[in-house]
Amino acid sequence: MSTTLELISFKLCPFVQRAVIVLKKKNIDFDITYIDLGNPPEWFKEVSPLGQVPVLKVDGEVLFESSVIQEYVDEITLPSLQPTDPLVKAKNRAWISFGGEILMALHPMVTHKDEAVSNEKRGVVLQKLQQLEAVHSGGAYFNGEEFTMIDAAYAPMFMRMDFIKNLTGIDLLSETPKLAKWAENLLALECVKASVVPELPMMYKGMVKHMDGYLATLLAD
Ligand SMILES: N[C@@H](CCC(=O)N[C@@H](CS)C(=O)NCC(=O)O)C(=O)O
């Protein structure tokens, strides 16, 4: 493939990780440029329409939004990670978007200083996980025994839930056995393990400490 791909990343970002998993799964060569979202460089403000990562530069052209990047990366190489049935594919897209909402509730659960607000967000996360459990196939992956795009989209969320469990003892998947098994399967995959920097668990803990929210009070040390 002669197309040049450059992914603009922030090491802690789960949305960037969605794109990286697809790139790794499909063995596509790409460059990665890390920025500090707390202090983004001027060039990033010009390049990223929403000021967000991920951004994928394709021969200099800008793509943004993790799901769009995932789909583009999938479409330029075979075999596709998308389900072939258009209805299944469309429903998966909707549930991928739903996963973004869970991630959005997870962040304030981790970082909010107020215990009541953090617990309320935990309730939102748990309720959404129940909804997800209800539509999961019960197989190794979301749709069954085959890894598809939606699996790449959810793995970063499960990785963060695993960090939270290890750091605080809060097991968000204890009431959703299908999701717990799915998470275990995803986190064991090479394309998932290789999608983050090795120091991510330490960085995540550092972020929890730095944000100094309610969850920081639950850290083991
Ligand atoms: N809907 C976007 C969400 C991306 C997103 O929220 N990225 C965060 C980092 S994890 C970000 O860039 N935040 C900076 C900001 O919003 O100013 C996607 O799926 O790509």
Side-chain angles (χ1 to χ4, degrees):
M1 192 177 65
S2 58
T3 308
T4 305
L5 302 178
E6 180 194 0
L7 186 68
I8 317 297
S9 171
F10 173 59
K11 289 177 183 169
L12 278 162
C13 179
F15 295 99
V16 174
Q17 196 187 347
R18 286 177 161 186
V20 178
I21 293 169
V22 179
L23 287 157
K24 296 273 181 195
K25 178 78 185 164
K26 302 198 98 183
N27 285 316
I28 298 173
D29 279 339
F30 65 103
D31 295 321
I32 191 156
T33 302
Y34 295 109
I35 64 159
D36 176 5
L37 265 185
N39 185 21
E42 275 311 311
W43 61 260
F44 176 69
K45 293 177 198 161
E46 281 155 31
V47 159
S48 174
L50 293 171
Q52 293 186 329
V53 289
V55 164
L56 183 70
K57 287 172 91 177
V58 184
D59 290 337
E61 303 254 15
V62 166
L63 280 184
F64 61 106
E65 279 298 315
S66 57
S67 56
V68 174
I69 294 171
Q70 281 192 299
E71 287 184 14
Y72 169 75
V73 167
D74 186 54
E75 279 173 19
I76 58 173
T77 48
L78 290 170
S80 174
L81 292 175
Q82 292 281 23
T84 42
D85 182 322
L87 182 58
V88 175
K89 182 170 156 184
K91 283 168 72 181
N92 279 195
R93 272 206 189 102
W95 286 103
I96 287 173
S97 172
F98 187 85
E101 296 299 314
I102 305 180
L103 278 169
M104 290 306 189
L106 198 62
H107 191 67
M109 177 201 127
V110 172
T111 59
H112 208 286
K113 290 196 189 305
D114 191 306
E115 179 178 351
V117 176
S118 173
N119 285 340
E120 181 209 314
K121 295 294 174 190
R122 195 194 309 186
V124 172
V125 170
L126 291 173
Q127 193 245 320
K128 288 191 175 349
L129 290 174
Q130 288 291 350
Q131 289 173 269
L132 189 61
E133 174 90 352
V135 293
H136 191 281
S137 65
Y141 300 111
F142 185 80
N143 293 308
E145 299 312 311
E146 211 177 309
F147 180 95
T148 53
M149 191 69 94
I150 191 165
D151 300 300
Y154 270 95
M157 179 192 86
F158 289 131
M159 190 177 275
R160 276 136 196 89
M161 290 181 174
D162 197 49
F163 292 157
I164 291 167
K165 184 171 148 190
N166 292 337
L167 290 170
T168 68
I170 295 173
D171 182 1
L172 292 164
L173 300 176
S174 63
E175 301 298 320
T176 48
K178 287 194 276 181
L179 301 190
K181 188 67 198 145
W182 183 27
E184 194 185 316
N185 293 336
L186 290 176
L187 297 185
L189 294 175
E190 205 41 53
C191 63
V192 172
K193 289 193 226 170
S195 65
V196 292
V197 291
E199 66 271 23
L200 186 66
M202 203 186 71
M203 288 182 75
Y204 192 86
K205 183 176 183 183
M207 182 277 289
V208 175
K209 271 190 175 164
H210 175 75
M211 297 307 286
D212 200 20
Y214 169 63
L215 251 65
T217 67
L218 305 180
L219 289 175
D221 53 59

